[in-house]
Amino acid sequence: MNITRVLNSLEKSWARDDILLKIKNGLSADEIVNEFLLDNELQIKKLNTLLRPEDIDLLSQVEQLSTCESKLIKRINN
């Protein structure tokens, strides 16, 4: 399986509408993430074997972007 297939599979498992529904149903962020990790354990392991150093750097940057977006949303709400 190549990296594109793995990423597409994981993306389908992380449908935003489904995640929002889980939040509306009272699941916490930790519960949602833990469930995703359990349900997709094999794909995540495969992804880790396919990642190159530059991919890991990009993931770090995306994580920083998500943190910035989260902080912006919090400030807008306040």
Side-chain angles (χ1 to χ4, degrees):
M1 184 178 281
N2 68 28
I3 194 166
T4 303
R5 287 186 194 159
V6 174
L7 290 172
N8 286 337
S9 173
L10 291 172
E11 184 176 2
K12 287 178 185 176
S13 295
W14 190 263
R16 292 183 72 131
D17 290 340
D18 294 340
I19 302 304
L20 285 172
L21 183 59
K22 290 178 182 187
I23 291 168
K24 287 178 183 178
N25 287 332
L27 288 174
S28 71
D30 286 334
E31 289 171 316
I32 293 168
V33 169
N34 288 337
E35 180 181 293
F36 177 83
L37 293 173
L38 285 173
D39 291 346
N40 296 283
E41 184 176 1
L42 294 177
Q43 291 96 328
I44 292 168
K45 285 181 180 179
K46 182 66 176 174
L47 178 63
N48 284 331
T49 66
L50 297 170
L51 290 175
R52 301 167 299 170
E54 57 267 25
D55 297 329
I56 294 170
D57 289 341
L58 178 60
L59 283 175
S60 177
Q61 292 168 1
V62 171
E63 181 183 8
Q64 291 174 15
L65 172 62
S66 294
T67 300
C68 290
E69 290 172 340
S70 175
K71 288 181 179 186
L72 177 61
I73 291 169
K74 285 181 183 179
R75 289 208 178 163
I76 289 171
N77 278 336
N78 293 329

